[in-house]
Amino acid sequence: MPYSIAAAVHSELLIKKSRFIACVQPMTDRGAAQKVVAELWAQHPGAAHVCWALLAGGQSAAVDDGEPSGTAGRPMLDVLRHQDLEGVLATVVRYFGGVKLGAGGLVRAYTDGVAQALLKSEKIPIIKLHYLTCTAPYAMEGMVRREIEMAGAHLDNVTHSDEVRFEFSLADSAAAQLISRLNEAGHGRIQWIAPDE
């Protein structure tokens, strides 16, 4: 199951006089991530690098920002992937301390910064929702409401006209079972409506 994180969390490392300020935070897309990176540059004008990695579906990114290729962005992205995260931005601001760390040292510094920040984060499961709409005769309204409630679904809207129309959402993994139970209990009198109707 993929996870996101509840809020931004920071960590800081000092390695051979270089300062690494790491942050992990929830993030939905690349445009928002780039704004955060621009804000970090404004807050840290003396920094040598602001490296970042975004794991957000088709908008994922790994940016080394002048560090040797593959020593910052990609390792940071790998940490996010290893933790099964989605919709998360990792940034590391580096102040150069005058001592070169080498490729292996850089990879360790960037991954350790992100990993330490993640240790402090609260992970929250990402639950994909399924939206359903059905109609039922008035005599079945109570039964449908009970089934929806027992399935842990959220009743979004109920309208009464010729029949009762229910609009509700629930975890994607529970949708097929609820549809099956309602079809069986409704003896074919519950009608399912496509999302765009």
Side-chain angles (χ1 to χ4, degrees), residues 8 13 38-39 52 81 87 92-93 102 115 126 134 137 139 153 158 161 168 170 174 177-178 181 191:
L13 298 173
E39 289 166 11
W52 58 283
R81 281 195 177 116
V92 177
V93 175
I126 297 173
C134 70
V158 178
S161 57
F168 54 99
L170 74 161
Q177 188 177 5
L178 176 59
R181 279 202 323 264
Q191 299 299 311

Side-chain angles (χ1 to χ4, degrees), residues 42-172:
Q43 293 166 13
H44 301 276
H49 307 279
V50 177
C51 302
W52 58 283
L54 173 68
L55 201 51
Q59 298 194 35
S60 297
V63 178
D64 292 322
D65 188 44
E67 291 284 29
S69 180
T71 60
R74 176 66 56 192
M76 292 163 61
L77 189 66
D78 289 343
V79 171
L80 298 179
R81 281 195 177 116
H82 183 71
Q83 300 264 344
D84 203 14
L85 294 170
E86 178 65 32
V88 175
L89 170 67
T91 56
V92 177
V93 175
R94 180 186 183 194
Y95 284 91
F96 183 58
V99 179
K100 293 193 175 189
L101 303 180
L106 288 172
V107 169
R108 276 190 301 280
Y110 283 102
T111 57
D112 286 354
V114 172
Q116 285 190 20
L118 284 170
L119 287 174
K120 301 177 192 175
S121 70
E122 179 191 346
K123 290 184 184 168
I124 49 175
I126 297 173
I127 299 170
K128 289 191 175 20
L129 291 180
H130 199 89
Y131 295 90
L132 296 169
T133 303
C134 70
T135 60
Y138 277 86
M140 294 185 172
E141 181 176 4
M143 178 273 296
V144 173
R145 284 181 181 269
R146 280 190 303 279
E147 288 292 338
I148 288 172
E149 187 179 326
M150 285 190 325
H154 181 266
L155 193 53
D156 301 316
N157 192 27
V158 178
T159 51
H160 296 84
S161 57
D162 292 343
E163 292 192 301
V164 184
R165 179 182 171 118
F166 300 90
E167 296 172 33
F168 54 99
S169 53
L170 74 161
D172 201 41

